[in-house]
Amino acid sequence: MEAPLLYALLGGLFTWGLTALGAASVFLAREPSRKLLDGMLGFAAGVMLAASVFSLLVPGMEMAEAQGVTPWVPAVVGFLAGGALLRLLDRLLPHLHLGFPMEAREGIPTPWRRTTLLILAITLHNFPEGLAVGVAFGAASLDPTGAATLGGAIALALGIGLQNLPEGLAVAWPLRRAGVGAGLAWFYGQLSAIVEPIGAVLGALLVQEMLALLPYLMALAAGAMVFVIVEEVIPESQREGNGDVSTFGVMMGFALMMALDVALG
């Protein structure tokens, strides 16, 4: 396997592994408090937001400038395309967001069970993260301008891995409360992120095949992540009235990811 694909696969496996670790919290005696979960979800949103800006959009604009392209053009086009892609998948893929009744399920109508729809919702959420990791590692290996670095890609994978911890918890515990056994709840929790290594390899392959479009691909991954942040993560973190805790979590996550990107990138 070529180095960019190997790095992307390892990065995706790392982010999946931390999701599995978060889901393993179902084996504990007590469920974490809702306030703690909302703070952790806010933290996840902050990490994703900073990663979108500092690990994807900014290097993408620097790359475009080095290629002689007006920097904001690929950033804007790719960013909006990423949001549009996620919106299309949101409309088509059957899924159900955590905490909502079956009547609120989205996508094409199906007879699928609630558990399946919940997993699909988190899978839809996780795919852009895997794609972003793959694009970042592919860019670091192949970008001739030097705007994307291996350290920056590692920082992105580390940040996304950290924010996957609460995501694994957020998937597994509702299933546990619904009467699903701990082992099965963990299995479903980690399964929701298995798409991340797949998305990472796909992202690296896209970069290899379309190097000239790299600034657009980086912006696309950023737009897809921001869509998920605004459409799902932040609303979920504030739905139970813990807005202050969630907002503080966003600030902490953004600050940590910004520091990681600067330190490693």
Side-chain angles (χ1 to χ4, degrees):
M1 182 179 290
E2 295 182 22
L5 296 181
L6 178 60
Y7 292 153
L9 177 61
L10 292 175
L13 288 173
F14 172 75
T15 59
W16 163 79
L18 288 186
T19 304
L21 181 61
S25 63
V26 293
F27 296 107
L28 300 176
R30 289 184 58 188
E31 178 180 1
S33 71
R34 180 69 205 196
K35 183 175 289 189
L36 175 62
L37 176 59
D38 287 342
M40 293 173 72
L41 286 173
F43 175 85
V47 167
M48 291 173 69
L49 186 59
S52 300
V53 175
F54 297 104
S55 298
L56 295 168
L57 285 174
V58 171
M61 285 189 282
E62 291 175 355
M63 254 176 259
E65 188 172 22
Q67 294 172 2
V69 178
T70 304
W72 62 265
V73 172
V76 171
V77 172
F79 184 82
L80 294 178
L85 175 62
L86 260 291
R87 177 55 179 159
L88 178 62
L89 292 175
D90 199 45
R91 290 289 299 273
L92 296 178
L93 184 69
H95 63 283
L96 175 67
H97 294 295
L98 292 169
F100 286 85
M102 281 293 286
E103 293 75 22
R105 61 187 180 271
E106 301 177 30
I108 297 173
T110 69
W112 295 345
R113 297 173 58 186
R114 179 183 181 87
T115 301
T116 303
L117 294 173
L118 286 171
I119 293 169
L120 285 173
I122 303 300
T123 300
L124 179 62
H125 174 163
N126 284 340
F127 180 74
E129 298 172 8
L131 183 67
V133 169
V135 168
F137 276 108
S141 301
L142 301 172
D143 171 37
T145 69
T149 65
L150 183 59
I154 292 172
L156 177 64
L158 179 60
I160 288 178
L162 288 174
Q163 64 92 33
N164 274 359
L165 281 167
E167 288 182 5
L169 186 153
V171 177
W173 273 105
L175 297 175
R176 189 78 178 97
R177 286 198 305 270
V180 176
L184 198 55
W186 172 84
F187 175 77
Y188 285 137
Q190 63 81 32
L191 186 64
S192 66
I194 199 65
V195 72
E196 292 201 11
I198 299 171
V201 172
L202 176 61
L205 282 171
L206 286 173
V207 169
Q208 286 187 313
E209 296 299 323
M210 297 182 289
L211 186 58
L213 296 179
L214 186 49
Y216 292 90
L217 292 174
M218 296 184 79
L220 184 142
M225 286 211 297
V226 170
F227 182 93
V228 170
I229 295 166
V230 178
E231 199 263 348
E232 182 179 342
V233 182
I234 289 179
E236 173 63 21
S237 71
Q238 303 206 4
R239 196 160 55 86
E240 297 294 326
N242 295 317
D244 289 344
V245 174
S246 168
T247 301
F248 182 72
V250 171
M251 300 294 290
M252 292 297 294
F254 189 97
L256 176 62
M257 186 62 217
M258 179 170 57
L260 280 174
D261 192 84
V262 172
L264 297 179

